[in-house]
Every structure is written in C-alpha cells, then in structure tokens.
Amino acid sequence: MELLPPRIVEPICVAARAVRVLGCVPGATLRILSGGQVIGVAQATAAATDIALTAPLHPGAAIALGAHVPGGTAVTSESVKVLEAELTALK
C-alpha cells in the first residue's frame, strides 16, 4: 500500500505531552522523532491519532513523524518546530 506522509497538527508547545497526527492509515506504526531519537510510538487506529510523548520537548527543536505500514513503505513527515511558550485558551 502506498503511504502518503501524515502530518503533525500544529502548534506544538514545549509543555505538550502528546502530539496529534492527521492523515494516518489505520494499522500503520507511527513514531515521533526529535534529534534522531524516537520520543513517541503508537499504532494508528484511525485517520487522526494521538501519540503520547516519552520525553520532554525542547524549545526550537524540530520534530517529525515516521510512519510505516507492515508490508508497505515507510514515510517521514515534514518537521515542525516546537514553540517555547505554552499556549493559553482564548477567553
């Protein structure tokens, strides 16, 4: 199965504990990467999947998503920069 790169939903703040990914193929293995290290892994169960992070994010760091379907191809998303400030909800 041909796999198109899923995308990380922005913005990503330094305080994030999970990353939401859109465009996933159910059954694909998803890995969040930062500085060459895997900092989150999940198996996609739907087109939108949340991936819990296993390491803290650092301001200005670039994170990317690697996706692989068993018996298929592997792809990597474009990287996203981690924001320094925590976002607050608008009132």
Side-chain angles (χ1 to χ4, degrees):
M1 167 182 274
E2 183 178 346
L3 193 60
L4 297 174
R7 69 177 183 87
I8 296 172
V9 176
E10 297 182 73
I12 300 294
C13 297
V14 73
R17 302 217 191 303
V19 171
R20 175 156 284 203
V21 178
L22 299 178
C24 304
V25 173
T29 300
L30 308 171
R31 290 179 176 82
I32 298 293
L33 310 164
S34 179
Q37 301 294 316
V38 176
I39 61 167
V41 177
Q43 184 153 358
T45 57
T49 301
D50 292 330
I51 303 172
L53 299 175
T54 58
L57 296 175
H58 301 285
I63 62 171
L65 170 73
H68 177 263
V69 173
T73 58
V75 294
T76 303
S77 72
E78 292 186 26
S79 63
V80 171
K81 187 174 269 194
V82 176
L83 300 178
E84 184 170 350
E86 184 174 341
L87 294 179
T88 56
L90 297 175
K91 294 183 180 183

